[in-house]
Amino acid sequence: MIIGVDFDNTIVCYDGIFHRVALERGLIPADLPQDKTTIRNHLRQIGQEPDWTEMQGYVYGPRLIDAQAYPAVLDFFRAAVKQGVEVRIVSHKTKHPFLGEQHDLHAAAWGWLEANGFFDPARIGMRRDQVFLELTKESKHQRIGTLGCTHFIDDLPEFLLDPGFPVGVERIHFDPCGTARPENGLRSAQSWSQITGELLVNPSVLDLACSVLSGAEINFKPVSGGANNRIFHAMAASGEVIIKAYHHSTADQRDRFAAEQHFYHLDLPATPQPLAWDAENRLGAFSVIHGRKLTTDEVTAEDVQQCIEWISGIQKARQHHEAADVALAADACLSIEDHISLVERRVKRLLDIGEDHGDFRSFVSEALAPHVEDMAARLREVAGALLDVPLPMEHRVLSPSDFGFHNALKDEAGKLWFFDFEYAGWDDPAKLLCDFFCQPQVPVSIEHADRFLETLQMAVGDEDLPARYKMLLPLHAAKWACILLNEFLKPDAERRRFAGLQDRRVAQLEKARAMLAKSISFC
């Protein structure tokens, strides 16, 4: 990861110094807000734009030394250097002002960086050859590409959206005033604390890694693929470890950390070994599994059999005392009515969304909701008096809940290793089966269902399982269509931002259409 950062109005905040200089020159009333844009607009409105232009050269020149850094930006650079993350400063900055005295703007920028400790090993510790002051916008674009930046942070959305901006670079709009337009597709951040939290390793992660790896010098590499959490691969001379930071917010009632921790207490086979837990900071440290995720085309009957055997095997822990600490799985369904109500609630959440995006509203209201309504009516009629009867405890399963090849790695020996149990708990085996064959990330052919069904039925001794599974399969396919539209829900979008993912709403809407078609085909 190489993070490039703009200088003016991204690292340096000019609001206070522009206000001070404008007051010194008698250009503005004292009660005008300390905001650079407000000052500029005021001077333009009273016909004094030349004064504004000349004042810019003065502020960016000899008075730059008086400008403040944005809150927490120095902490960001300090943490990046400490963690071994490559950072570069790339600025479009002319050598001299367009109007007024010809101050040396480059010398002023270098002086500000020096004064704020950027090149002092005891404060930040960057090197001078990591700073680039480019004379044109085009050369700034070129420099970002030449440096191999993976991310670039800038206050100007028009610069990030320019056709000349290098392809493949993650564009982050620094937006301290919160004026970003979501429709432009840019990832935005309103503070440097937010950027630090999203791109760098926080101190608690560093401390946990040091405790496991004996305090050695550690390098961190973010691991992609987590849709809700942040995952890091920590490497040192003494070994390696995976650190998982669990997302948590008041809008999301699921305690993902506790759910996964309790599930791991069952002594699960073929999973990363938990090495340490930090409950206060919601962190887990795990052994590293060297393998790769399979694509749909790569999944074989033998791979599916490993999944079947793993699920069947963990049911042996149902009688262990540790199983008593395992809560219900996320969205657990213990009656037919539970299954129906779960999907109805998901549809209602989507119908209650105020904003529209493409064909989202029409798809939900005219296609998805009517289909679920018809299925719910039929299921309630078929279930009759058994609608609210709870599933007996002996017929419930220990379920990882979000189970499939998207949460598995295959090693060189062909063995599958399973992970991600933050939704795990007690549940209906019919729901486990439905989810396995409906999950969209690495779809599994329904032709394997009978074999999985037979094995799971033997494990729990539930003679009604086959009929219940076949009855509920179309309903849960529709549920997955709803899940694919979670991008339109605020708490879920916040989790994606925590994990560092981009807006995926258009793509998810198309996937939801395909899942609805699958649900209809199952009916």
Side-chain angles (χ1 to χ4, degrees):
M1 180 164 61
I2 302 175
I3 303 173
V5 186
D6 179 44
F7 181 72
D8 293 317
N9 305 300
T10 303
I11 295 173
V12 185
C13 177
Y14 289 100
D15 291 338
I17 187 60
F18 266 106
H19 191 269
R20 193 185 319 164
V21 171
L23 282 177
E24 291 171 1
R25 297 184 171 196
L27 296 174
I28 60 171
D31 60 354
L32 197 69
Q34 291 193 29
D35 175 78
K36 175 186 170 185
T37 302
T38 301
I39 296 167
R40 180 199 65 191
N41 292 342
H42 172 79
L43 294 177
R44 285 178 175 175
Q45 289 171 0
I46 62 175
Q48 291 183 272
E49 185 160 4
D51 291 308
W52 164 252
T53 303
E54 191 277 330
M55 185 168 61
Q56 282 183 291
Y58 178 60
V59 169
Y60 293 147
R63 293 301 295 272
L64 176 58
I65 197 67
D66 297 325
Q68 298 296 308
Y70 271 102
V73 68
L74 301 183
D75 293 334
F76 167 84
F77 280 97
R78 190 177 300 112
V81 171
K82 181 178 180 181
Q83 294 172 22
V85 175
E86 296 287 339
V87 284
R88 304 289 187 268
I89 296 173
V90 186
S91 173
H92 170 205
K93 183 178 285 292
T94 60
K95 183 74 171 177
H96 303 288
F98 291 110
L99 185 68
E101 188 175 344
Q102 295 298 285
H103 306 292
D104 189 334
L105 305 185
H106 284 204
W110 285 108
W112 188 93
L113 290 167
E114 185 79 48
N116 282 273
F118 276 78
F119 311 121
D120 182 350
R123 296 172 67 185
I124 292 178
M126 285 185 66
R127 303 189 311 270
R128 289 180 176 273
D129 62 4
Q130 294 175 319
V131 178
F132 303 87
L133 305 180
E134 302 294 337
L135 297 177
T136 66
K137 179 183 71 174
E138 291 73 21
S139 62
K140 180 178 176 181
H141 278 149
Q142 185 176 7
R143 179 69 68 181
I144 293 168
T146 302
L147 292 171
C149 292
T150 57
H151 302 70
F152 196 81
I153 305 165
D154 202 294
D155 68 297
L156 296 176
E158 58 268 28
F159 174 79
L160 297 171
L161 294 169
D162 189 282
F165 192 86
V167 176
V169 180
E170 177 84 14
R171 300 166 297 171
I172 302 175
H173 175 205
F174 178 61
D175 179 35
C177 296
T179 58
R181 297 169 56 189
E183 62 269 21
N184 66 22
L186 292 176
R187 179 176 172 182
S188 64
Q190 293 188 21
S191 71
W192 276 100
S193 295
Q194 179 185 343
I195 293 171
T196 300
E198 292 180 354
L199 295 185
L200 300 182
V201 179
N202 66 42
S204 57
V205 171
L206 187 62
D207 290 344
L208 185 61
C210 288
S211 71
V212 174
L213 297 175
S214 304
E217 183 176 341
I218 300 172
N219 290 318
F220 287 87
K221 179 181 178 182
V223 177
S224 61
N228 300 309
N229 308 298
R230 301 188 68 209
I231 303 171
F232 304 93
H233 184 186
M235 296 161 284
S238 59
E240 57 184 344
V241 66
I242 291 292
I243 305 292
K244 183 174 182 179
Y246 297 80
H247 180 269
H248 178 72
S249 75
T250 55
D252 183 1
Q253 299 302 313
R254 181 74 178 171
D255 189 340
R256 302 161 187 275
F257 172 85
E260 181 148 278
Q261 185 182 36
H262 287 143
F263 207 68
Y264 265 110
H265 287 165
L266 299 175
D267 193 23
L268 305 171
T271 61
Q273 180 185 356
L275 303 174
W277 301 97
D278 179 350
E280 180 180 357
N281 295 297
R282 298 180 181 276
L283 302 172
F286 302 89
S287 61
V288 177
I289 301 299
H290 292 283
R292 65 183 185 86
K293 289 189 176 183
L294 298 177
T295 65
T296 300
D297 294 339
E298 293 174 318
V299 173
T300 66
E302 181 182 342
D303 296 324
V304 176
Q305 184 62 32
Q306 287 194 57
C307 292
I308 295 171
E309 292 174 358
W310 189 82
I311 287 291
S312 177
I314 67 172
Q315 302 314 312
K316 298 173 184 176
R318 293 193 303 161
Q319 307 305 321
H320 294 180
H321 70 274
E322 291 91 349
D325 295 327
V326 177
L328 293 177
D331 289 338
C333 296
L334 303 181
S335 70
I336 300 299
E337 179 59 35
D338 284 348
H339 288 274
I340 299 170
S341 297
L342 168 64
V343 184
E344 287 180 330
R345 288 195 301 272
R346 286 190 173 275
V347 171
K348 185 179 185 303
R349 289 172 70 196
L350 296 172
L351 288 171
D352 288 344
I353 294 175
E355 64 174 301
D356 197 6
H357 190 283
D359 298 327
F360 165 75
R361 185 179 297 282
S362 62
F363 169 72
V364 173
S365 61
E366 299 172 17
L368 181 59
H371 176 62
V372 170
E373 185 178 353
D374 289 344
M375 283 192 297
R378 289 199 305 270
L379 287 170
R380 287 189 172 107
E381 182 179 356
V382 170
L386 299 177
L387 182 66
D388 294 304
V389 176
L391 188 69
M393 188 67 195
E394 62 267 24
H395 292 164
R396 301 176 191 179
V397 290
L398 289 167
S399 171
S401 195
D402 191 15
F403 183 62
F405 289 100
H406 60 299
N407 283 329
L409 294 175
K410 190 173 186 177
D411 65 20
E412 290 185 354
K415 180 179 178 178
L416 287 174
W417 297 80
F418 302 94
F419 56 89
D420 199 352
F421 309 122
E422 60 195 64
Y423 297 105
W426 293 98
D427 209 344
D428 183 348
K431 178 166 166 282
L432 169 61
L433 284 165
C434 291
D435 286 342
F436 183 77
F437 289 104
C438 290
Q439 63 81 18
Q441 286 185 265
V442 187
V444 180
S445 173
I446 200 72
E447 68 183 22
H448 301 290
D450 288 343
R451 186 154 43 106
F452 204 160
L453 179 58
E454 179 182 351
T455 303
L456 196 53
Q457 184 181 11
M458 291 176 59
V460 299
D462 182 1
E463 63 181 18
D464 296 327
L465 177 57
R468 193 166 68 253
Y469 156 70
K470 292 174 183 178
M471 178 175 64
L472 294 170
L473 183 60
L475 182 71
H476 281 283
K479 177 194 72 180
W480 275 97
C482 296
I483 292 173
L484 286 164
L485 298 175
N486 278 349
E487 295 294 329
F488 295 85
L489 299 169
K490 184 177 179 181
D492 296 84
E494 288 176 349
R495 286 205 307 274
R496 301 299 191 270
R497 284 194 292 273
F498 176 79
L501 299 181
Q502 285 283 60
D503 191 328
R504 307 180 300 175
R505 288 180 290 183
V506 174
Q508 294 302 98
L509 181 55
E510 291 308 307
K511 292 179 183 178
R513 294 185 196 278
M515 187 59 68
L516 177 59
K518 180 180 284 191
S519 173
I520 294 171
S521 73
F522 287 153
C523 290

